[in-house]
Amino acid sequence: MIDRDQLVRRYLNVAGFRRGAMRVLPRPVFDFTDGAAEDEFTLRRNEAAFHEPALLPRPLQGVGERDLSVELFGRTLSMPVMIGPTGLSGMLWPDGELAAHRAATAAGTAFCLSHASTVPIEALPKAGNRWMQVFVYKDRGFTRSFVDRAAAAGYDALVLTVDNQTLGQRERDVRNGFSIPPKLMLKVMGAMAIRPNWLWRMRERRDFTFANYTGIEGGADRNTLAGRMNALLDPSMSWADVAMLRRQWAGPLILKGILHPGDIEIALDHGVDGVIVSNHGGRQLDRAAAGLDALPAVAEAARGRLKVLLDGGIRRGVDVLIAKAMGADACLIARPQLWGLAVGGEAGVAAVLEILRRDLDRALCLCGVTRFVDADASLLAPGVVSPIKPKAIAA
Ligand SMILES: Cc1cc2nc3c(=O)[nH]c(=O)nc-3n(C[C@H](O)[C@H](O)[C@H](O)COP(=O)(O)O)c2cc1C
């Protein structure tokens, strides 16, 4: 049985988990997690954006125990880092989505299930704070069926991803001949053969598939399912679809993939409760702005009227503090939790969350901030472009 704290000591940081995942996963599977669209500029920009801002600590604030908790959509999370939706987590660890959900719940944070999970919507136990991510399909009835299923299963929030209406060109996957299910090309088989631990671990789940789609036309045939799923996506999706989902879904509605501040007022008019400032981890439009670069203007437009979350490039706890100072209420991670999952299943995800929690706690302490929710732009060194006005901070 792998222990969370052993993994924390062994891997030390998210970069350590990434290297660990590279060692245990077949190369095409690792590249599926690590890669992004085209030249991967946006992927690199996501991470680099966090290296720009500099913090101005105020150590004499009498900081005692830090409080990392945040209120989101009527629930309290123990920390401002949630697990974002990732398709096919079950390819990294058997029933990976269940493992990651357990880790998030134990850490007191939220877990978002992907439309492309390898376990069905209904399989996630009713525990913790569960969000469901959906797409808009040409067949709106099919979209509505996902929402009905999420409601019947008691999910806490609905996340509509809006930046995936046509699939990004992920060239590592193309070059690796990566497909679902893995095609038995020599190259792919070779990559798998040199990762016996992964092969052994996956032996009972070799038939993993997109569990929420097995009922679509053409049935559960794994050889054609991925292609048929992509053909369902509708580029003509519009705000009318947001209105449709708003009428159907009574709980918190969150739009994932917002970068433009001009969308905020429209989202508010449509009764949206939150946005995730995101470029899909650079996997869709290469050259899209980094989430962190887009964040201040979005937060300024929101003026606290809806929750502003951020994903993309969070690799350290201090990144979460920087995001907060630039206007985010909380953050989500995708690749870091996948690398944790690949290395140690539930314990691996728990270790990644714990590392980020400890990092963030330390950064708050060093900055002289007791409550995460109080961190604001006054922490940022001048020269950092942030239109978010700092609140008066207690002298
Ligand atoms: C392997 C992988 C699969 C993903 N699958 C989905 C998905 O099914 N739905 C979705 O909305 N976003 C998906 N994303 C995007 C993430 O939710 C998130 O926006 C992005 O990866 C955040 O950046 P980070 O990986 O740097 O944390 C996926 C990302 C990765 C790396």
Side-chain angles (χ1 to χ4, degrees):
M1 184 62 186
I2 323 171
D3 175 63
R4 179 196 78 178
D5 291 334
Q6 278 173 347
L7 292 176
V8 170
R9 283 193 295 277
R10 191 182 309 163
Y11 292 100
L12 199 62
N13 53 36
V14 167
F17 275 96
R18 179 176 178 274
R19 284 192 295 275
M22 203 186 296
R23 283 195 294 271
V24 296
L25 295 174
R27 189 71 204 204
V29 177
F30 173 76
D31 276 347
F32 165 70
T33 69
D34 195 55
E38 299 175 17
D39 299 306
E40 305 190 347
F41 280 122
T42 295
L43 169 66
R44 289 196 293 281
R45 204 176 260 174
N46 277 350
E47 293 185 9
F50 283 100
H51 306 160
E52 282 298 312
L55 295 168
L56 288 177
R58 301 192 72 186
L60 292 164
Q61 302 292 316
V63 170
E65 283 278 292
R66 275 75 56 194
D67 177 1
L68 272 57
S69 66
V70 285
E71 295 279 327
L72 273 190
F73 312 119
R75 301 281 296 264
T76 305
L77 304 186
S78 70
M79 63 190 284
V81 182
M82 290 159 279
I83 306 252
T86 49
L88 294 175
S89 298
M91 185 168 52
L92 309 181
W93 192 270
D95 296 334
E97 294 87 358
L98 301 183
H101 168 247
R102 281 195 301 273
T105 303
T109 190
F111 172 84
C112 184
L113 189 71
S114 158
H115 76 106
S117 53
T118 64
V119 301
I121 294 172
E122 295 75 11
L124 213 62
K126 281 195 175 117
N129 195 345
R130 302 173 309 156
W131 300 4
M132 181 65 214
Q133 179 260 311
V134 296
F135 284 143
V136 168
Y137 306 105
K138 287 176 190 134
D139 174 357
R140 300 300 195 265
F142 189 52
T143 303
R144 294 170 66 86
S145 75
F146 269 72
V147 179
D148 280 340
R149 288 172 64 185
Y155 278 71
D156 299 285
L158 189 73
V159 175
L160 171 64
T161 296
V162 298
D163 59 6
N164 197 86
Q165 289 313 102
T166 188
L167 213 56
Q169 159 94 342
R170 300 171 192 163
E171 297 186 357
R172 289 202 224 179
D173 293 349
V174 177
R175 266 190 229 103
N176 289 331
F178 178 81
S179 64
I180 307 299
K183 285 205 186 73
L184 294 182
M185 291 162 58
L186 263 185
K187 197 160 59 171
V188 178
M189 278 167 72
M192 289 182 176
I194 58 169
R195 292 290 183 266
N197 290 348
W198 177 83
L199 270 180
W200 176 250
R201 189 191 302 144
M202 295 303 295
R203 68 194 179 283
E204 280 163 17
R205 290 288 187 283
R206 250 181 251 145
D207 58 347
F208 66 82
T209 189
F210 299 100
N212 296 317
Y213 288 83
T214 51
I216 69 173
E217 207 183 316
D221 175 10
R222 292 201 317 146
N223 294 311
T224 58
L225 192 51
R228 280 181 287 130
M229 275 168 60
N230 293 337
L232 299 174
L233 294 170
D234 190 355
S236 75
M237 173 194 73
S238 72
W239 287 104
D241 296 299
V242 177
M244 172 188 85
L245 293 186
R246 183 62 293 175
R247 283 193 298 276
Q248 189 187 356
W249 175 261
L253 176 62
I254 302 160
L255 299 184
K256 175 173 182 285
I258 296 291
L259 290 170
H260 201 294
D263 283 340
I264 296 303
E265 211 56 51
I266 311 175
L268 281 160
D269 287 345
H270 284 75
V272 168
D273 301 284
V275 292
I276 304 177
V277 178
S278 171
N279 53 38
H280 215 105
R283 296 164 76 82
Q284 287 294 99
L285 175 66
D286 198 26
R287 315 298 169 99
L292 191 71
D293 289 335
L295 174 65
V298 169
E300 181 73 358
R303 296 200 305 278
R305 294 173 295 166
L306 50 69
K307 291 291 178 193
V308 176
L309 312 178
L310 175 88
D311 80 10
I314 306 265
R315 302 293 180 260
R316 293 274 184 186
V318 71
D319 295 339
V320 183
L321 181 56
I322 287 170
K324 175 72 175 71
M326 295 182 73
D329 292 299
C331 297
L332 299 95
I333 51 166
R335 292 180 181 86
Q337 61 96 20
L338 290 177
W339 298 327
L341 198 58
V343 165
E346 177 183 345
V349 179
V352 167
L353 287 171
E354 179 61 12
I355 285 171
L356 294 175
R357 194 190 64 73
R358 288 183 197 177
D359 275 3
L360 175 59
D361 183 60
R362 190 184 320 110
L364 285 173
C365 182
L366 291 171
C367 282
V369 178
T370 302
R371 287 163 19 111
F372 173 79
V373 291
D374 293 334
D376 63 23
S378 66
L379 282 174
L380 299 169
V384 174
V385 186
S386 171
I388 309 299
K389 303 279 175 299
K391 278 185 283 176
I393 124 164

